Amino acid sequence: MATTNITMRIDTGIKAQLQELMSDLGLDMTTFFTMAAKQAIREQRIPFEISMNIPNAETIRAIDDVKHGRNLSRSFSSVEELMEDLNAED
């Protein structure tokens, strides 16, 4: 198969981090970009999710709390028990 060169510009820091990751995974940059290109062609889409769904600070804290088992509510053995707790006067 004939090959061709592609020239691209990327932030120096991003390039260094990507090279380190690829090295840790036993890949080089050319293999990574070839794999990404083949997957994009095969799936006819960008091979990863692109989203503007960035959590705000409150959500980030809540996610961190769950990951570390902090500020969690108690468990309930029935819906009725849950509803009683929700409807209870504070």
Side-chain angles (χ1 to χ4, degrees):
M1 171 171 55
T3 61
T4 188
N5 290 327
I6 296 176
T7 302
M8 59 186 286
R9 301 182 75 68
I10 189 169
D11 177 84
T12 305
I14 292 172
K15 178 184 176 191
Q17 291 176 43
L18 183 59
Q19 282 179 312
E20 182 178 349
L21 174 61
M22 291 304 105
S23 177
D24 291 346
L25 295 171
L27 301 171
D28 59 26
M29 298 282 274
T30 298
T31 302
F32 167 71
F33 285 113
T34 301
M35 288 169 54
K38 287 181 177 183
Q39 186 169 347
I41 292 165
R42 183 175 52 252
E43 295 180 6
Q44 291 296 293
R45 67 179 190 91
I46 295 174
F48 49 85
E49 182 179 343
I50 297 176
S51 172
M52 293 294 291
N53 188 13
I54 301 169
N56 62 25
E58 181 180 4
T59 302
I60 291 170
R61 281 192 302 275
I63 291 169
D64 189 61
D65 282 351
V66 169
K67 285 181 180 176
H68 294 94
R70 296 185 304 252
N71 301 320
L72 301 175
S73 66
R74 62 184 188 88
S75 60
F76 301 94
S77 59
S78 69
V79 173
E80 291 79 16
E81 186 181 351
L82 168 63
M83 294 307 295
E84 284 176 23
D85 188 69
L86 289 172
N87 294 323
E89 297 286 329
D90 286 334

